[in-house]
DNA sequence: ACCAGCGGGACATCCCGTTGCT
DNA sequence: AGCAACGGGATGTCCCGCTGGT
């Protein structure tokens, strides 16, 4: 019974720990959506999360570590979408299109998420690199298959990311409707010089 | 005689004031190029400008006011380029192309300026609006003249600005060479669906 | 068990908090006895209380709040004396006399307290109003009972308070002895035009 | 002619100096009427006087010196009234009465002056001593002539000054009307135990 | 005699990271 | 695991008094 007690207790502790950590993460997410990392304070996070400041330090070293964790969580949300695409879609252009449209749709339906993405695109190097690597892989594939006229893969990635981020900002600032998403996608594909092939969208 | 005295005094005062103010502005520019406004301190600005903190507060209310002033100065650097284009080029597409390429060239040749632009594109609402308004005017013109296939002016502006900013980032981060500028421009024009007309570039 | 824990924790917290708060209050009292509120600094209070500045701000928003708290504590010291009078003495004139003499006796025996009273009589509106209201109630009573010849209650209060404060200053500045207290009281009663009745003092 | 020029110039200089000094004094008066000396700044005085801060330091060493000068000016305003009384009135009680009523009348008709008096009564030792000395002289006279029943001159002075100051506060805070002045005077005379003699009021 | 501008420093405020407790 | 309270220090802000000019 003592065994059970201890195991149970540890289990509860872990649960509790995870729950508290999640609350901090959510609070951090909300604040990081408003302003960049250097401008948020541990006090603010603790208050938003409804915990004591000491508790924050039990879970994170400092605000930067929280920002990193939030960035990682954000990366996951991207990877979910990308994983789907990777499994189901073979054609790199279609895959890119799927992801591009998917990200914008998500931004349109979840403004908090969109704000977070925009803020993190500025700082949070790791997050940026992850997304970029994914897009670049598809584009490099497309380039080597002569599916696009653009030569420079990095330039192509910049075009895709640049339009994506700016349209995301447009969604937030001008409440641009979702009907613009397909137009934006078409524009990006034109920019890349996509050759019609088996283009299904 | 009193007239001359007063005028002279004011003149000297203005000169001195202007000189100190310029030093602060330059220091602020340099710091704002590194990190966003909320993360720079008055102490850092004062030290970089070689003045006392009290002197800073004699010229600006606080760091935000400095950031605004830097933004205004930045706007001017844009307006210079745009004023040239406005006077010499009639065709909206050519004008847009001229400005787009011009901004990227400037970024390539002056990385400090480029960094400042990228940082300010995030904050500094006024600066953004000024640039945006200029671009939108040309695009609206092009749309009404059926020179582009894109319908939504705001989306078109987002495309131009998005690619521009991201390529500027590329110049800074990957030291992208100036040879990419014309490729980027071509891509943007394709994205807008520009119809060949008397397109000379 | 959890209940006990929480209660105990809160209790200890409260104890510690109260102790530190009391130290700050005492330090503030001592400083406010020397000079008016706008002239005392948080640094001085913190040093006098033997705490860090941060701790001060954990307990008070700023010096004004401390001054208010000191005023409240001072009010209590008055109310203690007045409460005794209210319970034991029926006659308004006697009650007033008791309080008047009591305040002066206290001033004579505790110069720090007296200094604090004199300083606070200038600022600290709330403190003043509390004392004034008490005195006025007794005087209004006396007026309606035709126990005094003075008609205007506010004027009567001014007379009582004015003499009281000034004699208190005299105690501090000229080290006026306690033998003057009864003389001062007699003078005030004459000023009010008190009619002998069952006047026992 | 050169002589005349120089003399004239010096004359003008003196005039100008006096005028500027007066402007500073007036501004200081206005500010010192609002809050005690430690809380007013040279910057505020300079702005209120419409002069540069450097000019302030040409006329005064610091704020305390200004406060002293304002106090001196205030003393003069008292002495004017007292000088009249001294010349025209022989009887010490009548003289005291004249001054007491005169001060209150002035307070009622010039609230700025009254505010200044109340503020300075707290600080400004010199000002207080001057007034006190005057009153005490009359009272000592009255005591030695057996015109009052009070024995202790200092206590008597405290009574007079205490009531006077508090009634002045009443005039400011409750806009007490001038009709209370004679009542206040009567009360003070009763407090002192004045024996009817040739009492004219 | 007056002024604009400036250097220096006192002070208020905020916030970080730690401690001791349960 | 979580909390209240605290110490320490970075930073913003204000203001004093000086300087060099006319």
């Amino acid at each position: 019974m003592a065994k059970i007690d201890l195991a149970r207790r540890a289990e509860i502790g872990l649960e509790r720990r995870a729950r508290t950590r999640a609350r901090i993460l959510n609070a951090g997410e909300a604040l990081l959506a408003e302003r960049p990392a250097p401008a948020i304070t541990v006090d603010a996070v603790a208050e938003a999360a409804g915990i004591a400041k000491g508790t924050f330090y039990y879970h994170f070293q400092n605000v930067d570590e929280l920002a990193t964790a939030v960035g990682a969580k954000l990366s996951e949300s991207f990877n979910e979408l990308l994983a789907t695409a990777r499994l189901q879609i073979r054609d790199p252009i279609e895959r890119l299109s799927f992801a591009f449209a998917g990200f914008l749709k998500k931004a349109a339906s979840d403004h908090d998420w969109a704000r977070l993405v925009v803020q993190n695109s500025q700082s949070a190097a790791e997050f940026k690199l992850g997304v970029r690597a994914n897009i670049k892989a598809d584009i490099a594939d497309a380039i080597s298959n002569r599916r696009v006229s653009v030569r420079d893969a990095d330039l192509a990635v910049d075009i895709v990311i640049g339009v994506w981020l700016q349209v995301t900002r447009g969604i937030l600032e001008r409440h641009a409707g979702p009907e613009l998403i397909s137009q934006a996608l078409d524009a990006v594909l034109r920019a890349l010089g996509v050759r019609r092939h088996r283009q299904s969208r």
Side-chain angles (χ1 to χ4, degrees), chain A:
Chain A
M1 206 172 118
K3 227 178 187 173
I4 293 177
D5 268 355
L6 283 175
R8 178 69 187 133
R9 187 180 297 176
E11 199 181 314
I12 289 179
L14 284 176
E15 263 175 42
R16 194 149 64 119
R17 176 185 176 90
R19 212 166 47 238
T20 303
R21 192 185 153 91
R23 289 175 70 183
I24 298 175
L25 268 175
N26 287 334
E29 233 176 74
L31 294 179
L32 284 171
E34 305 295 336
R35 47 182 167 280
I40 79 172
T41 73
V42 175
D43 279 289
V45 174
E47 187 182 342
I51 60 159
K53 200 166 43 166
T55 306
F56 174 91
Y57 283 98
Y58 183 77
H59 289 273
F60 299 92
Q61 291 284 337
N62 49 44
V63 173
D64 278 354
E65 197 174 301
L66 171 62
T68 303
V70 169
K73 194 180 162 193
L74 194 58
S75 285
E76 275 182 49
S77 74
F78 276 86
N79 287 334
E80 272 178 40
L81 226 161
L82 291 171
T84 309
R86 218 170 290 137
L87 288 176
Q88 303 180 339
I89 311 180
R90 271 282 150 77
D91 184 66
I93 293 297
E94 294 217 22
R95 215 151 60 197
L96 190 68
S97 300
F98 177 82
F100 184 92
F103 292 159
L104 287 181
K105 273 179 205 152
K106 178 150 190 168
S109 67
D110 185 349
H111 282 198
D112 287 341
W113 180 87
R115 252 185 289 274
L116 194 58
V117 167
V118 169
Q119 288 287 354
N120 267 277
S121 71
Q122 208 70 0
S123 46
E126 309 158 42
F127 158 68
K128 277 158 70 179
L129 294 179
V131 174
R132 185 173 191 96
N134 262 297
I135 296 178
K136 191 167 176 181
D138 279 345
I139 285 186
D141 195 357
I143 289 180
S144 65
N145 288 345
R146 314 220 165 211
R147 297 287 315 283
V148 298
S149 66
V150 166
R151 299 280 167 76
D152 190 292
D154 277 317
L155 174 62
V157 177
D158 281 338
I159 290 167
V160 175
I161 291 185
V163 173
W164 164 51
L165 280 178
Q166 194 64 27
V167 171
T168 300
R169 285 196 190 93
I171 288 172
L172 289 174
E173 291 171 13
R174 295 192 311 283
H175 305 287
E179 69 281 3
L180 289 186
I181 294 178
S182 64
Q183 293 183 38
L185 175 55
D186 288 342
V188 166
L189 296 180
R190 281 198 303 272
L192 297 181
V194 171
R195 284 166 188 124
R196 274 149 215 72
H197 169 234
R198 221 184 338 174
Q199 174 80 14
S200 64
R201 172 168 294 274

